[in-house]
């Protein structure tokens, strides 16, 4: 596990954030949290986390998607590359198409949602940790 | 006898008047032809001139009646008919309210009354020119009484009988008293019978009895018939109104069903988030991330996590069911879906689970099976049936998926060698939350919603589902779906 990596969780469910914080911190990750779109964007800009965990359905329906688009629009390279993992319920139907998992940590520009991974809800902490480990490893190749 | 049956429905009366006018053309021709033939064949010594005048009179007043009838038909239903209407109401006081304007019915009755009275006058003249009491045409008075009873009220029919009898008596008495000429037909049996008061009285009495008896008999039958017609009219209206009520009830029911689904969807949606959080939090604890856990605590938390998982499964299935039952299928998400590829994928997904249970999961799917629909829902349909088969089949058994074309449609069949469904449970297996007694014993998991979802998805796509099963031997589910060309199954 990439000990000491900084993880930002953006999710309006504070109880879920609390549970995930315990899970992530138990593996030596440093966790900060934000509970809506604007504070999430501010936290990302101020803290420059190594990875962002994002909930799709926040109070304003598809806030999570907007978070992604607005973050990736920023000019700085950091914002285009910081790994984002989306927490989602697989049964949620949406008109947005997701970025196809090409398995090498890159994403295509265009209509797809430019994120690194999806984790189904209800979240299995072991699965989430494994995915975090993976995107962090890809981000910093040995 | 009811008041309403006093008169026929307005349409009947008007049709009767029109029919009466048509008959009169025939009668006029028949009178003229008969008189001419009788004369030229030398059968009777008839005054042909006056009889032809009567025939001409028939034609003239029938032409007038014809034009009046046409004007009648052109008038609006609820027009006030003034004094004519008031007089008509005297003749036919009780009418069908609500089956046409009251005035219109009454005026049609007056018109019929006038026609019959004119005919009686013509008939009296004809009678006079064909021998008075000797004339065989006196029986024709009875025809009009029959017609009067069909078109008019009972009271008006008796009034017509009286008018007819008075006219006949007038002719007989006129000839008897010598005030009118007598045109003998030359009957050999009684050349001066018209001069005998007993003969005259007897003819008048017999005709009187005939007319009043005919009035009584025909009115009674007519009133009964009208009552039946009225009942039929009311019944057919009732049926139309019942049909409307049924349609309204169905709409309300459909709306209620939609709001039920919508409510179900909202509740499930609200429950899903907290349940997911509970499950995740418990997993964090169980996976030792929140510190060491004593064995009793671990076991209790594991039970709680399992129960939370069951609840999450129910809310997930309720959401699926609600979206499968949405009012209008959102065809924006419909794409051609190849069932053969879908079946192969689902089988691959469940292969591990089947092997763990010691089951043989196989497919004999025909190539193709392209249907139009929601890919995610179709996959759910196949997966639910396969999962069901695996769940209720003991180790060593088989679960087989078949796909075959059938009359423009595709039949997807999932057959297992499982515990089966009893005959009394079979009609209920598609009901929400229904699980057969043997199913609950065999497998504790299962929300009881899987087959409801399958049926809802099939029906949403214009298809259907059938089940065949034998307790202890296995079950076969067959889903029929329309082909992508839009065929109906």
């Amino acid at each position: 596990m990439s000990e000491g990596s900084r993880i930002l969780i953006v999710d309006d469910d504070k109880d879920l954030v609390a549970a995930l914080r315990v899970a992530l911190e138990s593996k030596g990750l440093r966790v900060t949290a934000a509970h809506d779109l604007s504070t999430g964007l501010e936290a990302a800009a101020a803290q420059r986390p190594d990875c962002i965990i994002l909930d799709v359905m926040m109070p304003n329906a598809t806030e999570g998607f907007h978070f992604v688009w607005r973050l990736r629009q920023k000019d700085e390279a950091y914002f285009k590359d910081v790994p984002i993992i989306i927490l989602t319920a697989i049964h949620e139907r949406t008109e947005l198409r997701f970025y196809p998992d090409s398995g090498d940590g890159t994403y295509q520009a265009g209509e797809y949602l430019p994120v690194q991974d999806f984790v189904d809800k209800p979240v299995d902490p072991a699965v989430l940790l494994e995915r975090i480990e993976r995107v962090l490893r890809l981000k910093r190749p040995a | 006898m009811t008041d309403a049956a006093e008169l026929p429905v307005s349409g009947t009366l008007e049709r009767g008047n029109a029919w009466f006018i048509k008959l009169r053309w025939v009668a006029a021709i028949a009178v003229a032809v008969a008189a001419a033939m009788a004369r030229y064949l030398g059968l009777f010594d008839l005054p042909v001139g006056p009889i032809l005048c009567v025939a001409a009179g028939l034609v003239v007043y029938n032409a007038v009646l014809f034009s009046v009838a046409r004007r009648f038909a052109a008038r609006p239903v609820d027009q006030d008919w003034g004094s004519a209407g008031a007089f008509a109401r005297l003749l036919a006081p009780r009418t069908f309210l609500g089956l046409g304007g009251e005035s219109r019915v009454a005026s049609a009755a007056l018109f019929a009354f006038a026609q019959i009275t004119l005919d009686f006058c013509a008939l009296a003249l004809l009678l006079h020119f064909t021998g008075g009491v000797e004339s065989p045409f006196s029986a024709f008075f009875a025809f009009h009484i029959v017609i009067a009873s069909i078109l008019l009220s009972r009271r008006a029919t008796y009034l017509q009988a009286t008018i007819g009898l008075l006219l006949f008596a007038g002719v007989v008495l006129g000839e008897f008293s010598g005030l009118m000429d007598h045109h003998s037909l030359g009957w050999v049996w009684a050349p001066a019978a018209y001069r005998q008061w007993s003969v005259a009285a007897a003819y008048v009495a017999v005709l009187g009895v005939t007319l009043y008896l005919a009035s009584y008999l025909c009115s009674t039958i007519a009133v009964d018939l009208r009552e039946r017609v009225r009942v039929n009219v009311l019944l057919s209206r009732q049926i139309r109104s019942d049909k409307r009520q049924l349609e309204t009830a169905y709409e309300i029911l459909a709306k209620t069903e939609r709001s039920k689904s919508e409510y179900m969807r909202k509740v499930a949606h609200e429950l899903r988030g907290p349940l997911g959080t509970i499950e995740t939090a418990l997993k964090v604890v169980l996976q030792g991330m929140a510190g060491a856990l004593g064995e009793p605590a671990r076991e209790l938390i594991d039970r709680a996590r399992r129960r939370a998982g069951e609840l999450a499964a129910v809310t997930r299935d309720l959401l699926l069911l609600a979206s499968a039952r949405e009012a209008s299928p959102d065809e924006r998400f419909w794409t051609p879906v190849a069932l053969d590829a879908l079946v192969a994928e689902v089988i691959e997904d469940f292969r591990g689970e089947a092997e763990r249970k010691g089951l043989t999961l196989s497919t004999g799917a025909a190539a193709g099976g392209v249907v139009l629909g929601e890919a995610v829902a179709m996959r759910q349909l196949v997966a639910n049936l396969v999962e069901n088969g695996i769940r209720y089949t003991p180790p060593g058994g088989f679960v087989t998926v078949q796909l075959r074309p059938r009359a423009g449609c595709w039949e997807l069949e999932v057959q297992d060698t499982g515990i089966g469904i009893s005959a009394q449970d079979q009609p209920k297996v598609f009901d929400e939350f229904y699980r057969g007694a043997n199913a609950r014993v065999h497998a504790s998991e299962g929300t009881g919603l899987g087959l409801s979802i399958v049926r809802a998805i099939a029906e949403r796509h214009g298809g259907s589902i059938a089940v065949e099963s034998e307790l202890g031997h296995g079950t076969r589910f067959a889903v029929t779906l329309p082909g992508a060309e839009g065929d109906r199954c």
Side-chain angles (χ1 to χ4, degrees):
Chain A
M1 182 56 67
S2 316
E3 273 197 43
S5 292
R6 288 163 307 132
I7 312 292
L8 170 64
I9 303 176
V10 186
D11 195 323
D12 64 321
D13 184 342
K14 291 178 181 167
D15 296 322
L16 183 64
V17 170
L20 294 181
R21 183 192 293 275
V22 170
L24 269 52
E25 285 180 349
S26 76
K27 302 296 174 191
L29 298 167
R30 287 188 290 157
V31 177
T32 51
H35 303 297
D36 59 44
L37 180 106
S38 56
T39 55
L41 285 170
E42 281 167 22
Q47 299 163 12
R48 306 283 169 120
D50 298 305
C51 175
I52 298 172
I53 313 291
L54 180 65
D55 182 23
V56 176
M57 290 296 169
M58 281 188 285
N60 297 317
T62 52
E63 239 176 26
F65 290 127
H66 292 285
F67 179 93
V68 175
W69 299 122
R70 286 174 62 177
L71 194 77
R72 296 293 192 219
Q73 270 167 13
K74 290 176 188 270
D75 288 334
E76 231 178 298
Y78 164 79
F79 294 108
K80 299 200 185 299
D81 297 335
V82 58
I84 299 176
I85 295 173
I86 283 193
L87 307 182
T88 179
I90 194 169
H91 305 289
E92 202 69 58
R93 207 167 50 200
T94 164
E95 286 173 69
L96 279 175
R97 283 202 275 162
F98 293 144
Y99 149 73
D101 189 0
S102 52
D104 63 357
T106 60
Y107 53 84
Q108 295 161 14
E111 60 185 309
Y112 300 108
L113 196 63
V115 298
Q116 274 64 24
D117 214 335
F118 294 93
V119 171
D120 290 343
K121 274 185 166 181
V123 178
D124 184 324
V127 171
L128 178 63
L129 281 166
E130 180 199 313
R131 303 294 176 84
I132 293 172
E133 177 66 16
R134 182 167 151 266
V135 296
L136 290 177
R137 200 172 53 237
L138 285 165
K139 194 180 150 214
R140 278 178 269 170
Chain B
M1 188 177 74
T2 65
D3 291 354
E6 273 294 298
L7 273 184
V9 296
S10 63
T12 311
L13 198 52
E14 282 154 17
R15 278 196 302 279
N17 276 330
W19 164 72
F20 206 6
I21 290 168
K22 277 187 197 160
L23 276 182
R24 195 171 292 106
W25 298 121
V26 180
I29 293 166
V31 167
V33 171
M37 279 178 66
R39 177 62 182 267
Y40 292 111
L41 292 175
L43 294 174
F44 305 107
D45 180 23
L46 287 174
V48 174
I51 292 175
L52 287 179
C53 283
V54 172
L58 268 176
V59 170
V60 170
Y61 78 71
N62 203 35
V64 174
L65 290 172
F66 179 72
S67 82
V68 171
R70 287 189 65 168
R71 247 179 264 164
F72 232 8
R75 293 231 191 153
V77 169
D78 291 320
Q79 183 171 338
D80 185 10
W81 295 82
S83 56
F87 178 61
R89 276 191 289 279
L90 277 178
L91 298 173
R94 288 181 283 264
T95 55
F96 266 147
L97 287 176
L99 289 178
E102 184 186 5
S103 300
R104 188 183 179 92
V105 174
S107 300
L110 172 65
F111 187 61
F113 191 88
Q115 287 200 63
I116 293 169
T117 308
L118 282 168
D119 282 350
F120 276 167
C121 293
L123 188 55
L125 283 172
L126 194 63
L127 207 75
H128 169 60
F129 292 119
T130 55
V133 283
E134 296 169 28
S135 171
F137 294 113
S138 59
F140 282 18
F141 279 104
F143 288 160
H144 284 78
I145 294 303
V146 174
I147 292 168
S149 70
I150 293 170
L151 297 182
L152 301 174
S153 68
R154 185 187 285 268
R155 195 196 300 188
T157 308
Y158 284 124
L159 187 55
Q160 289 287 11
T162 307
I163 292 170
L165 185 64
L166 288 175
L167 285 166
F168 179 75
V171 170
V172 171
L173 285 176
E175 294 184 10
F176 171 76
S177 63
L179 288 175
M180 292 162 78
D181 295 338
H182 176 68
H183 302 279
S184 177
L185 284 180
W187 300 113
V188 286
W189 53 271
Y194 74 97
R195 281 278 188 193
Q196 294 171 35
W197 71 269
S198 56
V199 171
Y203 269 95
V204 171
V206 168
L207 188 73
V209 170
T210 306
L211 296 187
Y212 286 115
L213 206 58
S215 298
Y216 170 71
L217 292 174
C218 294
S219 292
T220 305
I221 294 167
V223 164
D224 185 47
L225 285 177
R226 279 174 209 162
E227 175 62 13
R228 288 179 198 203
V229 169
R230 195 184 66 89
V231 168
N232 277 346
V233 168
L234 291 179
L235 273 179
S236 65
R237 280 178 167 194
Q238 185 67 43
I239 288 166
R240 276 200 296 276
S241 140
D242 285 355
K243 190 172 161 243
R244 272 198 301 276
Q245 280 178 4
L246 268 179
E247 282 165 357
T248 312
Y250 178 78
E251 276 164 29
I252 292 171
L253 203 65
K255 207 172 151 190
T256 310
E257 190 60 35
R258 279 199 297 278
S259 45
K260 195 181 99 185
S261 279
E262 179 64 8
Y263 177 75
M264 193 163 87
R265 199 184 63 74
K266 280 181 180 161
V267 170
H269 192 79
E270 286 302 311
L271 289 176
R272 194 176 51 161
L275 276 172
T277 299
I278 291 171
E279 230 186 320
T280 300
L282 294 178
K283 277 183 178 169
V284 169
V285 176
L286 280 172
Q287 288 168 13
M289 295 164 178
L293 210 57
E295 196 44 43
R298 164 179 292 279
E299 196 200 318
L300 283 180
I301 289 174
D302 192 41
R303 283 176 187 274
R305 184 199 59 77
R306 272 207 309 275
R307 300 309 293 264
E310 284 169 19
L311 270 180
V314 170
T315 54
R316 181 203 62 201
D317 280 1
L318 279 174
L319 273 174
L320 285 171
L321 189 58
S323 77
R325 284 185 183 163
E326 264 171 26
S328 55
D330 196 344
E331 297 186 12
R332 274 182 309 159
F333 295 105
W334 285 22
T335 50
V337 181
L339 289 177
D340 58 348
L342 203 61
V343 167
E345 282 171 31
V346 171
I347 293 231
E348 219 33 63
D349 288 350
F350 282 96
R351 193 171 296 287
E353 197 178 329
E355 278 167 8
R356 274 196 296 283
K357 271 198 79 177
L359 300 176
T360 308
L361 177 60
S362 63
T363 175
V370 179
V371 297
L372 210 57
E374 256 177 281
V376 177
M378 284 295 170
R379 193 189 174 92
Q380 188 74 49
L381 179 149
V382 180
N384 277 17
L385 288 175
V386 171
E387 189 179 27
N388 218 60
I390 291 173
R391 181 176 297 152
Y392 297 112
T393 303
F398 295 84
V399 177
T400 315
V401 186
Q402 303 274 1
L403 181 66
R404 54 177 84 93
R406 176 158 292 184
C409 298
W410 286 93
E411 186 185 74
L412 175 81
E413 177 197 270
V414 180
Q415 190 157 20
D416 64 51
T417 57
I419 59 171
I421 304 163
S422 70
Q424 63 263 37
D425 280 346
Q426 283 177 29
K428 302 178 201 156
V429 288
F430 301 109
D431 293 352
E432 294 152 35
F433 297 111
Y434 188 84
R435 295 183 74 202
N438 61 334
R440 283 196 297 270
V441 171
H442 183 84
S444 59
E445 76 270 29
T447 60
L449 290 168
L451 289 174
S452 306
I453 294 169
V454 170
R455 181 169 70 175
I457 293 172
E459 288 177 353
R460 184 184 171 84
H461 289 84
S464 59
I465 184 167
V467 59
E468 285 169 26
S469 186
E470 198 181 334
L471 209 54
H473 288 88
T475 304
R476 172 185 179 271
F477 285 103
V479 175
T480 312
L481 291 164
E485 289 77 29
D487 298 312
R488 287 277 145 237
C489 299

